[in-house]
Amino acid sequence: MLELTSRQRVVREQARAFATDEVAPVAAERYRRGEYPIDLVRRMGELGLIGLPFPREYGGQGMGLVELCLAIEEVGRVDQSLGITLESAVSLGAMPILRFGSAAQRQRWLPALVSGEQVAGFGLTEPTGGTDTAGLHTRAERDGDGWVIDGRKAWIGNAGSPITSHVTITAATGEDEVTNFIVPADTPGFILGARNDLVGWRTIDNRHLDFDGCRLPDDHRLGDVGAGLANFLTILDAGRVAIAALAVGLIQGCLDACSEHAVERRAFDRPIGSFQAVAFTVADLAASAQLCRDAYLRAAWLHDQGRPFTTEAAIAKLRCTEEAVSAARAATQVFGGLGFSRESAVGRFYMDAKILEIGEGTSEVQRLVIAQGLGLPIRPDGSVPPH
Ligand SMILES: Cc1cc2nc3c(=O)[nH]c(=O)nc-3n(C[C@H](O)[C@H](O)[C@H](O)COP(=O)(O)OP(=O)(O)OC[C@H]3O[C@@H](n4cnc5c(N)ncnc54)[C@H](O)[C@@H]3O)c2cc1C
């Protein structure tokens, strides 16, 4: 895909207008307060940004991952916390219900998630480890017609906000058998930890969760028994492309800020952009934004064509997020002392960048996926596959 369609350009313009007019002016203050932005989540619902990749019958816009990624980039360009809240509301919150839910489950849960009235969490990671997704300790035992869940999840987004409807989790239902469940927010025994005190992404809802004898009817099982891990991993494939788009938003935000600062800020009676060291930093940011944007768009386009995209998603996530960390460091340098203040956009980007290399699969996991895609005999647990 070399050019965006006119519909895609419209989506990007709408998201950019929302980000510029409604998000950017209050981003610093919201970051300082650290409050979960219920009003902006609802606004993203109203504007149709959350609904971009969902069918119209659930209130969505019937578009694809390309359009969602364009919107995430634009929101992330001015506010990474809101960008990840959009990404996780869609990719991790509502998408598992669309992809694996029964007709009744879709009807029950999707309209409120798509409209932004509610959000949902995605509970895969446990305190004992996120990379080793199969080594989970949360269990679901059969109990008559239903299930009883016991266990713990760690670092889960959108799971305890005032507008959370439920969290979808993985639980072991037998030896080497993982199944997904929908746990409504008001389920007895579903216990929320306090909000995690994060280095960046200061306005998101992120917590550890306990499940202490949570009883669920069988119609809260999401997908087939035993399909839970594979299903969640395919959700992460698309989620990684969206995280790559969020990272490009950060790079572009650094470029915007530095382009302006390089002209306005003066030293030795000259704009600092007249010094080659600063000008070349800005040039590198521009090169990085363009190449990384192409990488996520390629992966998203393959996804929307129904073609294999796992390797391209991992390549986009790896390269865009590592470039974003470098971009935040470089932009902070261009801003000098102001770059280390959360009052400046680049100061906030500096705090927000590092997690991009960790969430939805670390950089090491992306390299593993890429190596496997190349046919190399490498496995996450270090074992050698049989010939
Ligand atoms: C702000 C935030 C939001 C999050 N949101 C969610 C969420 O909504 N839902 C959710 O389920 N999780 C969420 N997570 C969890 C996140 O996905 C995990 O932190 C991440 O997958 C890494 O897992 P871990 O922290 O347990 O690190 P570990 O798995 O303990 O890994 C530690 C280090 O070892 C490396 N490593 C491990 N195994 C290998 C290997 N085989 N080869 C090479 N290197 C390896 C890792 O790459 C990493 O560098 C979130 C985390 C944060 C911080």
Side-chain angles (χ1 to χ4, degrees):
M1 107 176 248
L2 287 174
E3 244 191 298
L4 298 182
T5 63
S6 56
R7 211 164 67 142
Q8 289 164 346
R9 284 199 299 274
V10 168
V11 167
R12 187 176 59 186
E13 288 314 313
Q14 284 173 341
R16 185 172 296 172
F18 164 67
T20 310
D21 300 341
E22 301 183 46
V23 184
V26 289
E29 170 61 12
R30 284 180 181 269
Y31 205 82
R32 196 177 57 70
R33 287 210 314 268
E35 281 166 21
Y36 185 79
I38 297 176
D39 56 335
L40 290 178
V41 172
R42 295 214 158 123
R43 190 81 182 108
M44 292 192 294
E46 261 169 40
L47 292 170
L49 300 182
I50 295 177
L52 282 168
F54 295 97
R56 291 190 185 279
E57 60 181 302
Y58 305 113
Q61 301 218 46
M63 297 192 199
L65 186 56
V66 168
E67 290 82 2
L68 174 67
C69 285
L70 291 169
I72 290 172
E73 182 192 330
E74 292 301 328
V75 174
R77 182 176 177 175
V78 302
D79 185 336
Q80 286 278 297
S81 298
L82 192 65
I84 186 63
T85 297
L86 171 60
E87 190 277 333
S88 44
V90 176
S91 310
L92 304 182
M95 202 49 85
I97 306 279
L98 178 70
R99 293 277 312 278
F100 312 117
S102 63
Q105 287 170 333
R106 288 171 166 200
Q107 214 55 60
R108 172 169 176 189
W109 301 104
L110 279 181
L113 296 176
V114 169
S115 69
E117 281 303 301
Q118 297 190 313
V119 292
F122 174 89
L124 176 64
T125 305
E126 303 203 347
T128 47
T131 306
D132 183 5
T133 45
L136 76 177
H137 295 93
T138 298
R139 299 200 61 81
E141 301 285 348
R142 283 244 181 227
D143 179 46
D145 289 346
W147 301 84
V148 176
I149 316 263
D150 285 283
R152 194 145 205 243
K153 297 288 175 182
W155 308 112
I156 310 305
N158 279 342
S161 82
I163 55 170
T164 295
S165 60
H166 68 272
V167 56
T168 312
I169 62 163
T170 47
T173 45
E175 207 175 324
D176 295 329
E177 183 186 271
V178 176
T179 305
N180 296 141
F181 295 91
I182 301 168
V183 185
D186 59 0
T187 307
F190 173 33
I191 303 157
L192 296 177
R195 258 176 87 185
N196 290 319
D197 188 15
L198 303 172
V199 168
W201 286 357
R202 296 292 299 175
T203 70
I204 71 167
D205 182 83
N206 185 274
R207 305 163 190 266
H208 293 9
L209 311 173
D210 280 298
F211 303 90
D212 183 11
C214 288
R215 280 173 195 282
L216 297 174
D218 192 50
D219 67 6
H220 284 49
R221 172 172 50 78
L222 183 67
D224 293 337
V225 170
L229 194 55
N231 284 352
F232 262 35
L233 292 181
T234 70
I235 288 290
L236 287 182
D237 275 349
R240 283 168 186 164
V241 186
I243 295 290
L246 182 63
V248 174
L250 189 148
I251 300 167
Q252 183 66 48
C254 288
L255 173 61
D256 297 341
C258 288
S259 302
E260 210 178 294
H261 196 66
V263 175
E264 285 176 358
R265 180 73 175 173
R266 299 178 72 83
F268 301 94
D269 265 344
R270 300 195 272 162
I272 59 170
S274 66
F275 301 118
Q276 198 179 62
V278 173
F280 282 11
T281 300
V282 179
D284 283 343
L285 287 172
S288 176
Q290 184 176 313
L291 290 174
C292 289
R293 186 174 295 115
D294 287 351
Y296 88 64
L297 284 173
R298 175 175 162 72
W301 179 79
L302 286 170
H303 169 277
D304 290 349
Q305 299 300 307
R307 288 165 58 178
F309 72 104
T310 299
T311 302
E312 286 76 5
I315 288 173
K317 208 258 177 191
L318 173 67
R319 190 50 72 228
C320 296
T321 61
E322 294 198 342
E323 289 280 315
V325 172
S326 302
R329 193 177 59 237
T332 298
Q333 197 68 16
V334 168
F335 269 69
L338 183 57
F340 199 59
S341 162
R342 291 186 202 171
E343 292 303 312
S344 74
V346 298
R348 297 192 296 281
F349 287 143
Y350 191 80
M351 312 300 283
D352 293 335
K354 183 62 200 168
I355 179 61
L356 295 167
E357 294 179 329
I358 297 170
E360 300 200 30
T362 61
S363 292
E364 292 73 27
V365 169
Q366 308 315 317
R367 290 188 167 92
L368 265 163
V369 171
I370 296 164
Q372 284 173 334
L374 292 168
L376 297 181
I378 184 167
R379 282 176 165 173
D381 65 3
S383 66
V384 180
H387 293 289

